[in-house]
Amino acid sequence: MTATAADLVGEPEGFGPFAHLTVQNTALYRQVMRAFVVAKEHFAVHLRPEDVHAALPGEVRPGELDGVVKALDQLVAWGNLRADPDTGRVTAVEDFYRKRFIYQLTRAGEAAEEALATYDEALGRRGSLQAIALHDIVTQLRALLVLTADEQPDPGKTHLALDALASRFAALADNARAFMGSLQRTIDLHEVEEAAFLAYKDRLIQYLERFIQDLITLGGRIAQLILELEDSGRIEVLLRAAAGREASDAAPEESEHAAQAAYVHWAGRWDGLAAWFLTRNGRESQARLLRSRALGAIPQMLAVVRALGERRAGRSDRSADFRTLARWFAETPDDASRHRLWRAAFGLYPARHLTIDADTLAARAAAPVPAATPWATAEPLRISPQLRRTGSYERRGKPRRVEDRQERRRHLAEVAAKQAAETTAARARLVTDGTVRLSELGELDPASFGYFLQLLGDALATWRPGMRHTVATSNDGSMEIRLSALADGSTAQIHTPSGTFRGPDHLIEIVDLTDGPTRGATD
């Protein structure tokens, strides 16, 4: 069998299959490769030039078939395609010697198209804030808690639960990052039209508010479940069970280190999940940062709306100011006036470390120095000898004594300890023994009442029309409030030194989530 020229061509060197992205007819080459990718998806192995010509969009399709043939041959040279003699339609000796080829994707060309598809998908991705992913994470963490009850957790169930948890968490983090990036471009009015932004902003604000409510409610639950798994000391058992199952498919020469490598991988995933929802070692959790960023985006969008309203109303903005300034420059009669206008507009003044006295100003007025005069040829400025010698006009003297701040530090430490004690006492005062009526809380001191208002605000933030019961967690994850509406129309009164708080009576239960072993701060 005689080898063809195409058979003798090896794998392309370097990044040859990407060369068609930087040439003149990039659009044509991309559509030609797209035709081969679509054909492969339909299990077609080879394409003839006329097949490619028919598959091309009208805006890039050459008028003659020869244009497609040249593009195909060039892609063969770059290593994207492979050309084989087309002997299927040979009916005469003349046809055998005529140049006819069929084309198919090479391994390098297929890999290049997969990379470009991934790039296009990532570039156009806007992302989303996935409240459903938060619910799924809660479900998977509860499943892991159930598995910890077994002395020897089932490796298959453990691996599936951890894999599902890692997948949902990775999707949540990636989508949140992409969404916040696209949100910032929207706020900056990049790649967005004003009309589209004004029509989109109401839905976007509602979307952000809904996600923030879900993140406040579910973020505390997720943090609590993570702490329960870590406090039980069983999470390492689950991670090693999943790592052992994953390492069972390793090659014989890698089996010795596969289990440890898999465990390190799973431990890193778990640490990433915990850092997303728990505040530790002085670093704020990613959930808290995301919530702050989403909350901050709402007033920023409202500011953009105001700016668009001002622009439509004809009020001045920066672009209008620069256009007005340009007109003033055009209307000035001479260069001296333009220099004065430039200094007035942009505040460019002489160097502050140089002093010019009245005599120097008089001399400059009598003999002006043009602005284009080089420093080397200009008349020198007279500088104070003290400035030349010391670098400062200030008289040197004894430095000030270092102030002793020990007393202030002690006072701040006392204030911090007092505030911590008040917070602990307020939390202990609010904890209820089971479910009670709101009216049964009795009189509250200012610290307890302030903490109670925060808890009540967190619960009411999750209250939606038609709801009769809600559960919320405080921002620091230390307290949980369970609120249920009553149908009897009764009114609750809570007395404080500052006055009386009145409102519809509810069933309420407040639980201290930190009651028990010492835990890390949660979000």
Side-chain angles (χ1 to χ4, degrees), residues 180-347:
M180 298 313 295
S182 65
L183 176 62
Q184 187 60 51
R185 290 194 297 272
T186 301
I187 293 174
D188 295 338
L189 292 181
H190 295 166
E191 303 176 4
V192 65
E193 297 180 357
E194 291 185 13
F197 174 79
L198 293 174
Y200 177 58
K201 55 98 178 173
D202 289 333
R203 289 178 293 159
L204 183 58
I205 290 176
Q206 294 175 2
Y207 178 67
L208 286 173
E209 290 176 341
R210 186 170 63 252
F211 178 78
I212 291 168
Q213 291 176 356
D214 291 332
L215 187 59
I216 291 174
T217 305
L218 298 176
R221 295 186 190 177
I222 293 173
Q224 181 65 21
L225 289 170
I226 291 174
L227 288 174
E228 288 182 16
L229 284 167
E230 292 182 347
D231 291 345
S232 67
R234 299 283 293 167
I235 185 61
E236 183 176 356
V237 177
L238 297 179
L239 296 177
R240 290 198 178 277
R245 185 174 188 270
E246 196 171 276
S248 61
D249 292 333
E253 63 273 11
E254 300 176 357
S255 58
E256 182 178 351
H257 305 289
Q260 182 60 27
Y263 171 74
V264 171
H265 175 70
W266 279 109
R269 284 184 169 185
W270 178 261
D271 290 341
L273 173 65
W276 224 84
F277 292 98
L278 297 176
T279 298
R280 285 177 171 170
N281 301 324
R283 296 183 60 182
E284 279 194 301
S285 65
Q286 292 299 315
R288 180 182 289 274
L289 295 176
L290 176 62
R291 188 173 65 203
S292 300
R293 180 66 186 86
L295 284 171
I298 296 176
Q300 289 181 14
M301 280 190 291
L302 296 177
V304 173
V305 173
R306 287 194 298 269
L308 292 177
E310 293 176 357
R311 188 180 304 174
R312 289 183 170 186
R315 295 178 60 178
S316 176
D317 59 9
R318 183 174 297 181
S319 59
D321 291 342
F322 278 121
R323 286 193 295 269
T324 301
L325 183 61
R327 185 173 66 254
W328 289 352
F329 271 108
E331 294 174 351
T332 51
D334 50 39
D335 285 344
S337 300
R338 296 187 184 97
H339 282 296
R340 288 197 298 273
L341 178 59
W342 177 272
R343 287 193 294 271
F346 297 102

Side-chain angles (χ1 to χ4, degrees), residues 35 48-58 61 65 68:
R48 293 185 171 87
E50 52 267 28
D51 299 330
V52 178
H53 186 270
L56 292 177
R61 181 189 298 139
L65 185 61
V68 175

Side-chain angles (χ1 to χ4, degrees), residues 72-92:
L72 292 170
D73 291 340
Q74 187 61 59
L75 288 169
V76 170
W78 285 325
N80 301 78
L81 300 176
R82 169 182 169 178
D84 295 305
D86 185 5
T87 59
R89 294 182 295 176
V90 174
T91 58

Side-chain angles (χ1 to χ4, degrees), residues 427 429-442 444 448-449 451-460 463 468-472 479-486 490 492-494 501 503-512:
R427 286 168 46 184
R429 169 66 180 82
L430 291 176
V431 172
T432 61
D433 186 11
T435 303
V436 299
R437 281 179 172 262
L438 192 59
S439 55
E440 297 175 3
L441 287 181
L444 297 178
S448 300
F449 183 65
Y451 206 79
F452 166 74
L453 288 181
Q454 293 180 12
L455 284 173
L456 187 61
D458 291 336
L460 295 179
W463 200 281
R468 305 293 299 173
H469 177 76
T470 187
V471 179
M479 303 286 286
E480 183 178 80
I481 179 172
R482 301 162 188 169
L483 197 64
S484 300
L486 293 175
S490 57
Q493 293 186 2
I494 299 177
F501 176 81
D505 204 1
H506 287 72
L507 291 178
I508 187 172
E509 183 180 3
I510 300 177
V511 181
D512 188 353

